[in-house]
């Protein structure tokens, strides 16, 4: 849940889908065809928000199923003594963090996509932003003096599934809910800015 490989796979999927949502349509020259239909630009943004609301929980469930199958295959669910066994159910609440991180990636990228006209540039900007956030968060844990103060401004600082997995009473901690709220708020603000920008911008003619 914190390994760079699954985080990269999930993050690239969220970024790629959001980058193709608006800038990709403009880049392909199909946005004019889409808006020629009796739909509003608001409905276009809402449709992508609904896709996130359906697909992101599905990806979280798939991630947990991988955890369940892996622990079962390796026999980690039935170790003795029981204190050394792994309970896959403890990982379920951590999916809230995974959803929040994916939504934050998607919301910010949607805003960048609503500003651009080429999906490759949107990809580049979004990946650069989130990669820098990831590196700042990692390096800030090593060098707290020069970089520690900027860590809270990165989304990865607020992505803390370990605390939920390791502590059964995680739901009583206000800090956990605060971090989750920050992740969801970043995604929500990104979608609001994408909606405002997309509704006000002029669409370039397809090349």
């Amino acid at each position: 849940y914190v390994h760079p490989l699954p985080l990269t796979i999930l993050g690239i999927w969220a970024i790629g889908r959001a980058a193709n949502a608006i800038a990709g349509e403009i880049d392909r020259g199909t946005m004019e065809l889409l808006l020629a239909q009796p739909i509003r630009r608001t409905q276009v943004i809402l449709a992508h928000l609904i896709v996130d609301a359906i697909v992101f929980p599905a990806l979280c469930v798939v991630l947990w199923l991988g955890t369940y199958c892996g622990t079962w295959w390796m026999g980690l669910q039935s170790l003795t003594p029981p204190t050394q066994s792994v309970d896959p159910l403890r990982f379920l609440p951590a999916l809230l963090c995974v959803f929040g991180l994916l939504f934050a990636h998607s919301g910010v990228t949607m805003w960048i996509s609503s500003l651009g006209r080429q999906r490759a540039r949107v990809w580049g900007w979004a990946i650069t932003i989130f990669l820098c956030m990831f590196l700042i968060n990692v390096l800030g844990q090593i060098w707290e003096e020069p970089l520690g103060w900027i860590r809270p401004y990165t989304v990865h600082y607020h992505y803390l599934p370990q605390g939920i997995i390791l502590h059964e009473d995680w739901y009583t901690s206000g800090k956990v809910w605060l971090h989750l709220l920050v992740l969801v708020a970043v995604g929500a603000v990104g979608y609001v800015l994408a909606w405002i920008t997309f509704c006000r911008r002029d669409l370039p003619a397809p090349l």
Side-chain angles (χ1 to χ4, degrees), residues 58-97:
L59 291 175
C60 292
V61 171
V62 170
L63 180 65
W64 180 82
L65 288 176
T67 302
Y68 181 88
C69 293
T71 54
W72 171 78
W73 181 266
M74 299 303 296
L76 299 177
Q77 299 181 19
S78 56
L79 290 177
T80 52
T83 54
Q84 296 182 359
S85 63
V86 178
D87 183 9
L89 296 179
R90 294 284 295 273
F91 290 80
L92 269 176
L95 299 180
L96 293 172
C97 287

Side-chain angles (χ1 to χ4, degrees), residues 14-154:
I15 291 173
R17 198 207 66 79
N20 291 332
I22 299 177
E25 295 280 359
I26 297 175
D27 195 13
R28 291 190 298 267
T30 55
M31 180 60 77
E32 287 190 345
L33 298 176
L34 177 62
L35 295 181
Q37 307 302 315
I39 59 174
R40 299 179 178 179
R41 297 190 182 189
T42 300
Q43 292 175 295
V44 175
I45 300 295
L46 181 61
H48 290 292
L49 180 60
I50 293 175
V51 170
D52 284 355
I54 296 174
V55 176
F56 288 167
L59 291 175
C60 292
V61 171
V62 170
L63 180 65
W64 180 82
L65 288 176
T67 302
Y68 181 88
C69 293
T71 54
W72 171 78
W73 181 266
M74 299 303 296
L76 299 177
Q77 299 181 19
S78 56
L79 290 177
T80 52
T83 54
Q84 296 182 359
S85 63
V86 178
D87 183 9
L89 296 179
R90 294 284 295 273
F91 290 80
L92 269 176
L95 299 180
L96 293 172
C97 287
V98 179
F99 175 85
L101 184 64
L102 290 176
F103 187 57
H105 284 171
S106 180
V108 174
T109 308
M110 279 291 296
W111 181 34
I112 301 173
S113 183
S114 68
L115 293 167
R117 59 176 297 176
Q118 295 179 340
R119 55 184 171 181
R121 290 185 178 180
V122 175
W123 267 84
W125 277 107
I127 291 177
T128 300
I129 290 173
F130 288 112
L131 181 59
C132 289
M133 286 186 178
F134 178 79
L135 293 176
I136 288 173
N137 184 58
V138 172
L139 296 177
Q141 299 177 59
I142 302 174
W143 296 297
E144 295 185 3
E145 186 66 28
L147 295 175
W149 66 273
I150 201 174
R151 286 184 60 212
Y153 297 98
T154 68

